[in-house]
Amino acid sequence: MKKGFIILDFGSQYTWLIARRFRELGYYSEVLAYDESLENIKSKQPLGLVLSGGPSSVLAEDSPKRSVDELVSIAPVLGICYGMQLIAFQKGGKLLKASQRTYGYNEIDWKKEIIPCLKKQKVWMSHGDSIQSLPSNAQLLSQDKKSLITAFCMDRVLAFQFHPEVSHTEQGEKLLRFFASEYCQSSEGNWSVGSIKQNLIDNIKQEVPEKEKVFCALSGGVDSSVTAVLLSQALGSDRVNCIFVDTGLLRKGEYEEVLDIYKSLNLNIKGVRAEEDFLKALKGVSDPEQKRKTIGKVFIDIFKKEMKDCQYLSQGTLYPDVIESLSPKGSGATIKSHHNVGGLPKNLNLKLIEPLRELFKDEVRQLGKALGLDQKILSRHPFPGPGLAIRCLGPVDSIQLEILRKADSIYHDELRKSNLYNKIWQAFCVLLPLKTVGVQGDSRSYEQIISVRAVTSKDGMTADWFPFSQDFLQNLSCRIVNEVSGVGRVVYDITGKPPGTIEWE
Ligand code: XMP
């Protein structure tokens, strides 16, 4: 066992961030459902347990609950927001029911200086109920100006009303480190992605019986490339059948370029040209979810033809997807269907192998480095499976794709020339199915719009738009309008995630 922190998820949108923060401190961390069996939690021998926040009220009959005492008997417990209220309530404190939730910054006063020089602290809160009175043997640690109880401790228990895991809370990581060192007696973590490489390889060897084979569909992106190299190093290339499909939805020159890289990595790779199949199936489809489903179906038909003697199908599922599927209330609405785990049709008759399911996106890059992957692959911007189809709004056809491809290629050319490519998480063009009026030369033009998108991010879960210089945007706009026929206007997308998503569809 990796001896780390277990976070029990009571439904907070920040649960995954708690796991991230512990990993950044060098501790292995894992998110489990709030009602995970006690035996399983015990068997993992955690250093500490964290009860996450959540949208429910502890006072509601149907809210997610479990015995805090049972958990404390396994390891010290940190309660955050809902977790804190659950602890206070079960230990004999009183909660005050709120009619609405309170969001935003707050300033708290520490009664006891648990972090040197931390007397006042700006913290981020998002809570409904509050604690009216503490359990009799609890010690008050901090309050805000209105005397709201914002932190307390008890034997083997620490609890915060605010969220130390979000970056808006100043020095939040110090509070998590304090929990690790003072409550869990672990002053330093020694977990890193490099250190688990061998573990991942051993797990794959154990999971896939000798003589059985894995089918691996590569997208040209980091996740699937790292998955394929990891599987090949574990099982040998001859037991990992890789394919790279030309969907006709790739960027300019991408099929040839990526296939060459895969060959240089000694993968057992086959290129499959299926442009016509995809474009035929997509004809007239404009709804984004329908596009994804249609593309998914064509992929499955190709897989069926190509996977022949394989018993396993690999998927580059990452940890955020796994966490999302654990939440007590789920995340509610499906934002985009790619976020769902386990979308594999049953009739494929293949077992699923997901070697990266414990890792965050930036950790996948670190693992790739530890596996010896070329920087050329590791630094590639993420590219969605449905490719340009979800960047060509409305119905997709070869004419629209060609316009988008030309604009996108100019954009990437400019990014590389200005040394900006590696400073940006993802940059792409979106072709809008709208026409606007312009003047080109002496005549009126009536042509489509290209929207330029560039975001910075750590793992695609949240993102900020990139602040290009005016010169860069001016030059880019000029080149696209002049060099791409069919485009008469260029706009720059200044929407973060949230409230937007990175892709437009
Ligand atoms: P969103 O648009 O949800 O995207 O903010 C987050 C990250 O996921 C990529 N993405 C996809 N990847 N299939 C994929 O393989 C998809 O359907 C898909 N949709 C979005 C997106 O490019 C970004 O990196």
Side-chain angles (χ1 to χ4, degrees), residues 402-415 427-432 440 447-453 468 472-492:
E402 206 38 42
I403 295 176
L404 179 55
R405 239 178 232 125
K406 277 189 187 148
D408 199 67
S409 150
I410 292 171
Y411 186 23
H412 279 81
D413 182 39
E414 287 299 325
L415 286 171
F428 54 89
C429 290
V430 178
L431 180 64
L432 311 194
Q440 278 184 20
E447 290 179 320
Q448 280 180 267
I449 308 166
I450 279 285
S451 170
V452 173
R453 182 99 167 117
F468 283 124
F472 180 87
L473 291 173
Q474 210 160 28
N475 177 43
L476 178 65
S477 152
C478 205
R479 273 199 68 189
I480 293 178
V481 174
N482 280 317
E483 294 176 36
V484 186
S485 83
V487 176
R489 192 175 291 264
V490 177
V491 297
Y492 186 47

Side-chain angles (χ1 to χ4, degrees), residues 292 336 338-339 382 384-386 390 425-426 460 497 501-503:
R292 283 192 169 79
K336 291 178 190 179
H338 74 284
H339 293 299
I390 55 168
W425 161 269
Q426 210 168 356
K497 173 182 178 175
T501 51
I502 294 177
E503 303 288 346

Side-chain angles (χ1 to χ4, degrees), residues 317-368:
T317 310
L318 301 189
Y319 203 38
D321 303 318
V322 175
I323 294 175
E324 193 164 342
S325 67
L326 287 175
S327 201
K329 295 197 189 292
S331 65
T334 298
I335 311 287
K336 291 178 190 179
S337 53
H338 74 284
H339 293 299
N340 295 345
V341 179
L344 187 69
K346 291 202 174 54
N347 64 6
L348 265 188
N349 261 337
L350 286 184
K351 289 168 267 186
L352 197 58
I353 182 161
E354 301 171 309
L356 307 182
R357 59 184 285 123
E358 288 185 0
L359 303 182
F360 287 101
K361 185 91 183 183
D362 53 329
E363 295 173 335
V364 173
R365 286 206 170 98
Q366 292 168 36
L367 174 65

Side-chain angles (χ1 to χ4, degrees), residues 85-100:
Q85 290 164 9
L86 186 68
I87 297 168
F89 186 67
Q90 283 191 12
K91 294 282 193 177
K94 263 197 181 155
L95 300 187
L96 192 63
K97 182 130 195 68
S99 53
Q100 60 181 53

Side-chain angles (χ1 to χ4, degrees), residues 238-458:
D238 52 333
R239 288 175 64 201
V240 186
N241 289 0
C242 302
I243 62 164
F244 179 52
V245 181
D246 183 0
T247 55
L249 306 166
L250 300 175
R251 285 172 291 206
K252 195 172 165 196
E254 192 167 27
Y255 179 69
E256 296 74 13
E257 188 189 314
V258 170
L259 207 54
D260 280 350
I261 297 180
Y262 286 149
K263 283 179 186 158
S264 74
L265 289 172
N266 290 326
L267 296 176
N268 177 9
I269 181 90
K270 176 180 173 188
V272 178
R273 289 214 178 251
E275 179 179 358
E276 275 180 22
D277 297 347
F278 282 90
L279 291 193
K280 207 167 123 198
L282 279 170
K283 198 163 178 215
V285 180
S286 56
D287 175 72
E289 280 306 284
Q290 204 50 44
K291 279 184 188 172
R292 283 192 169 79
K293 284 190 186 123
T294 306
I295 291 166
K297 203 170 153 300
V298 181
F299 266 123
I300 296 291
D301 289 344
I302 295 172
F303 293 176
K304 279 184 185 158
K305 264 191 243 155
E306 299 292 336
M307 64 198 185
K308 291 176 207 116
D309 53 347
C310 293
Q311 295 75 24
Y312 284 80
L313 175 73
S314 75
Q315 275 195 352
T317 310
L318 301 189
Y319 203 38
D321 303 318
V322 175
I323 294 175
E324 193 164 342
S325 67
L326 287 175
S327 201
K329 295 197 189 292
S331 65
T334 298
I335 311 287
K336 291 178 190 179
S337 53
H338 74 284
H339 293 299
N340 295 345
V341 179
L344 187 69
K346 291 202 174 54
N347 64 6
L348 265 188
N349 261 337
L350 286 184
K351 289 168 267 186
L352 197 58
I353 182 161
E354 301 171 309
L356 307 182
R357 59 184 285 123
E358 288 185 0
L359 303 182
F360 287 101
K361 185 91 183 183
D362 53 329
E363 295 173 335
V364 173
R365 286 206 170 98
Q366 292 168 36
L367 174 65
K369 208 167 166 200
L371 287 166
L373 257 86
D374 195 292
Q375 199 52 31
K376 224 166 154 187
I377 271 273
L378 295 178
S379 63
R380 280 172 73 83
H381 289 177
F383 187 65
L388 299 184
I390 55 168
R391 296 177 179 173
C392 205
L393 309 193
V396 181
D397 59 38
S398 52
I399 297 170
Q400 293 285 288
L401 286 168
E402 206 38 42
I403 295 176
L404 179 55
R405 239 178 232 125
K406 277 189 187 148
D408 199 67
S409 150
I410 292 171
Y411 186 23
H412 279 81
D413 182 39
E414 287 299 325
L415 286 171
R416 292 202 186 274
K417 273 200 222 152
S418 309
N419 277 327
L420 289 172
Y421 185 87
N422 289 329
K423 297 193 173 121
I424 290 169
W425 161 269
Q426 210 168 356
F428 54 89
C429 290
V430 178
L431 180 64
L432 311 194
L434 293 172
K435 286 189 168 185
T436 70
V437 174
V439 271
Q440 278 184 20
D442 289 329
S443 6
R444 174 188 193 269
S445 65
Y446 189 51
E447 290 179 320
Q448 280 180 267
I449 308 166
I450 279 285
S451 170
V452 173
R453 182 99 167 117
V455 294
T456 53
S457 177
K458 235 178 163 185

